[in-house]
């Protein structure tokens, strides 16, 4: 039997660089599976069913909610977004470390349902650097940037519920750190009860000269 | 102000190879400080005050117990062994990651006093391999080896209280894993409350255009 994978939720401020981090992590190591969300919004040009999202009608989505087919879901503006349970379960059973990139509300839902979930929060080294990165993109006006910072301030209230901070200063270091955190999580005593029990039994019988 | 070091307790079966592990870890990286225990037993040839142990009279040791000068202590046969608090505190304040190599009873005492302590348990990959290693040393008779295995079986009852298992198969991998576990521990959200608070304040004031 394969060792079950670790379910990891990654959240972070807009501008924290978590998208780049995830791409690097999953392209370098083959133990990861990125979860694909379901949504009721329309596909945008270039988006592909099952790659960016599973596209569902509102009726389909609501039926999935009723049959408990989501690990977590939320409604933003007029659309639903959710993480289908089936894919995640299948990958975990196959020994893959599954990564969900979701926001804090969803992260807390997942942790409540699956307390063994690892919660990681990606943050720049300081608020000033976050602002600098948002300004540096040159794609948003100052009021929009201030709205994003205000939203980040709200999100920051929830960081304490996460297991680890990933302070995104150097991308290289950051990818390594995230990889090691997830890999080491496999070595938690609480995730190795079978190993411990086998060791106990083995020691008991060997100590009797069996 | 320097970031406070992590207090790590390492325990493991006799024959688990934890001695080699600790020597490799502390010789390779300079962020570690090994705690030196105090004892009331006599120095053996070649042992040096403050290197293997701090050698104390029974009266001195008892006075240290009364003044709460130990993080943990225990009595084995006719002698006391303990971890002096002062050295550990000074090294942690200096930002060093302090490692105590103590047995399970002591480990639980330390965790109770300092819940943020990281508990690592070093174990061979199986009971059979542990026996093979003990036999391979060629220094002990079979009854002695069986007594050690029997003791290991008792110790194994406590593994569940540890945070991580270090399964000592390849020493090289094992040293790296231990190093990463301790290093990543610095990134726990619960150890970075100051950082999180600073981030919250920074985001709040920047979002108001301050």
């Amino acid at each position: 039997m394969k060792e079950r994978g670790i379910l990891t939720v990654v959240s972070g401020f807009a501008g924290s660089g978590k998208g780049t981090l995830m791409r690097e992590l999953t392209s370098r190591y083959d133990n990861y599976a990125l979860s694909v969300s379901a949504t009721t919004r329309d596909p945008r040009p270039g988006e592909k069913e099952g790659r960016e999202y599973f596209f569902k009608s509102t009726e389909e989505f609501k039926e999935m909610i009723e049959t408990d087919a989501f690990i977590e879901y939320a409604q933003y503006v007029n659309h639903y977004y959710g993480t289908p349970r089936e894919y995640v379960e299948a990958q975990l059973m196959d020994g893959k470390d599954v990564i969900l990139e979701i926001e804090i509300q969803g992260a807390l839902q997942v942790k409540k349902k699956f307390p063994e979930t690892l919660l990681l929060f990606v943050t720049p080294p300081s608020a000033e650097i976050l602002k600098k990165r948002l300004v540096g993109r040159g794609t948003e006006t100052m009021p929009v940037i201030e709205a994003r910072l205000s939203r980040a301030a709200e999100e920051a209230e929830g960081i304490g519920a996460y297991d680890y901070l990933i302070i995104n200063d150097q991308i290289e270091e950051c990818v390594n750190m995230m990889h090691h955190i997830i890999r080491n999580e496999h070595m938690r005593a609480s995730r190795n009860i079978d190993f411990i029990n086998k060791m106990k039994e083995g020691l008991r019988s060997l100590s009797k000269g069996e």
Side-chain angles (χ1 to χ4, degrees), chain A residues 61-194:
Chain A
F61 202 102
K62 283 188 175 165
E63 203 184 303
M64 287 178 77
I65 294 174
E66 273 161 35
T67 57
D68 199 25
F70 290 114
I71 291 182
E72 57 81 35
Y73 70 92
Q75 201 175 3
Y76 296 108
V77 199
N78 288 318
H79 292 296
Y80 286 103
Y81 295 81
T83 304
R85 178 193 299 273
E86 201 180 330
Y87 174 84
V88 170
E89 268 298 330
Q91 296 290 321
L92 289 174
M93 287 290 288
D94 193 37
K96 294 281 184 188
D97 295 320
V98 178
I99 302 183
L100 314 187
E101 190 188 330
I102 50 179
E103 299 191 55
I104 189 158
Q105 299 306 330
L108 300 181
Q109 279 184 52
V110 175
K111 184 84 175 181
K112 206 171 165 188
K113 273 198 189 167
F114 305 98
E116 75 281 13
T117 305
L118 184 64
L119 300 188
L120 309 183
F121 195 90
V122 183
T123 168
S126 72
E128 289 71 22
I129 291 174
L130 181 62
K131 184 174 178 182
K132 219 170 132 186
R133 286 188 194 166
L134 291 172
V135 172
R137 290 176 173 182
T139 53
E140 283 135 359
T141 61
M142 200 47 81
V144 171
I145 287 169
E146 283 176 3
R148 281 185 184 274
L149 290 169
S150 168
R151 161 138 204 191
E154 280 165 35
E155 287 172 337
E157 294 298 326
I159 302 181
Y162 283 73
D163 295 304
Y164 294 91
L165 298 184
I166 308 284
I167 299 177
N168 192 0
D169 191 2
Q170 302 294 327
I171 178 85
E172 201 56 32
E173 264 182 46
C174 224
V175 172
N176 281 331
M177 176 160 285
M178 198 183 272
H179 179 58
H180 284 123
I181 287 175
I182 297 171
R183 205 189 54 172
N184 291 339
E185 193 62 27
H186 284 275
M187 300 314 298
R188 283 214 162 263
S190 57
R191 296 190 195 264
N192 288 277
I193 305 298
D194 288 350

Side-chain angles (χ1 to χ4, degrees), chain A residues 193-205:
Chain A
I193 305 298
D194 288 350
F195 175 91
I196 296 171
N197 287 335
K198 221 175 140 189
M199 180 63 76
K200 282 183 201 169
E201 286 162 30
L203 289 170
R204 252 184 253 128
S205 63

